[in-house]
Amino acid sequence: MASPTRGALIAIEGLDRAGKSTQCSLLLDRLRAENHPATLQKFPDRTTPIGQMINTYLQSSTALDDRAIHLLFSANRWEARDSLLETLASGTTILLDRYIYSGIVFSAAKQSHPSPSPPHGPLSTSWCRSPDVGLPRPDIVIFLDISQDAAAARGGYGQERYEKAEMQARVRALFEEMRADERDKEDWWVVDAGGDVEEVADAVWAGVQEGIRRAKQRPAVRAIE
Ligand code: DGP
């Protein structure tokens, strides 16, 4: 029997308050309504033991070395790798609510106090990317673009560690840098997320269709370089 066409791997990225989770759940409904097998995987996945450590960190102000927590976020993606690949091979499309790109920019955006011993200063994007090299590479990365002011107007940021305007401004700049990275520049699909939910959903849907089309042309899932 011929093996089924693999599912598409679709990452949804954006600033906090851009509407990622709303759009992911609308998309899941829409794909299923069209009889396209689909599932949602959120990162960080706070349900695993590693995810619970991340959750505790995000909800507290306790100090933890920036590199150590970064490696935990990456480990949280690695522990999902086999199941992601199996799900794709079975023909199911996966929507990722955040992925390595959030991983890189949120860690690189931190401006922690210099540690007493080298290396000092903020983490570089190349250092942040390295533990994720080899993870499954999305067929498309849909970026929900929203201005800082529009994000703040959506009720302000929450209480978690990174939800501060200053940090979000650095995150925004680093996402722009990331979208220009030659290694995966072709994967980005930018959507203006400032409009109403339905308008944004239609623009995101076009990106998903493109991701599914690209996945059909690539029998094998690529790896992050
Ligand atoms: P969320 O559950 O989507 O609200 O994400 C929790 C927060 O964690 C959010 O502010 C973004 C941040 N984040 C997501 N992935 C990573 C990562 O790999 N590294 C770091 N440092 N932060 C991340």
Side-chain angles (χ1 to χ4, degrees):
M1 209 172 75
S3 55
T5 313
R6 75 167 175 90
L9 186 60
I10 297 171
I12 313 288
E13 287 281 8
L15 290 169
D16 287 331
R17 313 294 303 170
K20 286 181 301 300
S21 300
T22 306
Q23 291 298 333
C24 282
S25 92
L26 288 173
L27 265 180
L28 197 58
D29 292 346
R30 194 158 174 178
L31 284 164
R32 288 177 175 167
E34 300 214 349
N35 292 322
H36 187 110
T39 187
L40 176 64
Q41 169 73 55
K42 184 167 169 40
F43 287 115
D45 175 358
R46 303 188 195 213
T47 64
T48 70
I50 293 172
Q52 282 160 23
M53 291 165 76
I54 294 171
N55 185 48
T56 305
Y57 169 79
L58 286 170
Q59 294 188 349
S60 74
S61 54
T62 44
L64 181 56
D65 181 84
D66 288 343
R67 293 166 189 79
I69 185 66
H70 183 74
L71 294 173
L72 280 182
F73 272 106
S74 179
N76 187 236
R77 291 185 277 275
W78 276 104
E79 65 180 339
R81 174 188 180 255
D82 288 353
S83 115
L84 291 176
L85 291 175
E86 278 162 25
T87 302
L88 292 172
S90 75
T92 298
T93 283
I94 304 175
L95 304 176
L96 302 170
D97 181 349
R98 292 195 193 278
Y99 198 43
I100 70 153
Y101 316 95
S102 278
I104 297 166
V105 303
F106 276 87
S107 286
K110 291 178 172 187
Q111 294 195 324
S112 300
H113 302 295
S115 61
S117 50
H120 301 293
L123 305 182
S124 67
T125 51
S126 67
W127 189 91
C128 292
R129 186 177 176 111
S130 52
D132 286 332
V133 168
L135 281 170
R137 175 171 163 185
D139 293 296
I140 202 157
V141 184
I142 300 176
F143 182 74
L144 301 187
D145 197 15
I146 188 166
S147 71
Q148 192 86 16
D149 291 347
R154 289 187 174 176
Y157 298 116
Q159 298 303 312
E160 281 196 340
R161 186 178 282 261
Y162 299 148
E163 296 177 320
K164 314 269 179 322
E166 233 176 84
M167 170 81 177
Q168 297 287 326
R170 291 195 297 274
V171 164
R172 153 175 278 279
L174 283 162
F175 263 128
E176 273 171 33
E177 202 181 288
M178 194 69 31
R179 299 204 307 257
D181 190 313
E182 290 299 333
R183 282 169 290 191
D184 37 33
K185 199 175 173 185
E186 63 182 5
D187 295 346
W188 290 85
W189 182 277
V190 181
V191 166
D192 176 359
D196 65 39
V197 176
E198 282 75 28
E199 272 168 11
V200 178
D202 284 344
V204 169
W205 183 246
V208 168
Q209 297 297 97
E210 176 62 17
I212 292 172
R213 194 187 65 75
R214 292 183 190 181
K216 283 196 183 127
Q217 291 172 343
R218 296 177 187 133
V221 181
R222 302 164 306 163
I224 297 288
E225 291 168 23

